[in-house]
Amino acid sequence: MKTIEIIVSPQGEARIETRGYAGAACQEASRLLEAALGVRQSEQLTSAFFQQPLTVQNHLSAGGHTNPS
């Protein structure tokens, strides 16, 4: 499940955390929220950023059924 969480500190600083994304998809998903919150002061990339996104390939068999690989 992909989620985006916005955490606001008592001092009013906001932090965006994405979960369930792999690779640069997390930055793409949070881009609009970052722009709405203002100027980014720092960025901390997690191990998920360096993961390759999963892709599912389906192969069509002779009977017209798909087989995921």
Side-chain angles (χ1 to χ4, degrees):
M1 171 191 252
K2 295 178 180 177
T3 60
I4 299 175
E5 190 172 38
I6 301 172
I7 300 129
V8 181
S9 74
Q11 293 76 28
E13 296 174 349
R15 183 176 79 228
I16 299 173
E17 292 185 6
T18 59
R19 302 201 195 300
Y21 293 90
C26 58
Q27 289 179 320
E28 294 170 20
S30 63
R31 185 177 311 147
L32 289 176
L33 291 171
E34 284 184 40
L37 292 173
V39 177
R40 180 190 328 163
Q41 295 185 353
S42 67
E43 181 176 38
Q44 184 174 3
L45 301 175
T46 65
S47 61
F49 177 80
F50 300 101
Q51 294 176 345
Q52 294 294 321
L54 292 177
T55 58
V56 176
Q57 296 179 350
N58 292 323
H59 299 279
L60 188 59
S61 68
H65 302 282
T66 58
N67 298 317
S69 58

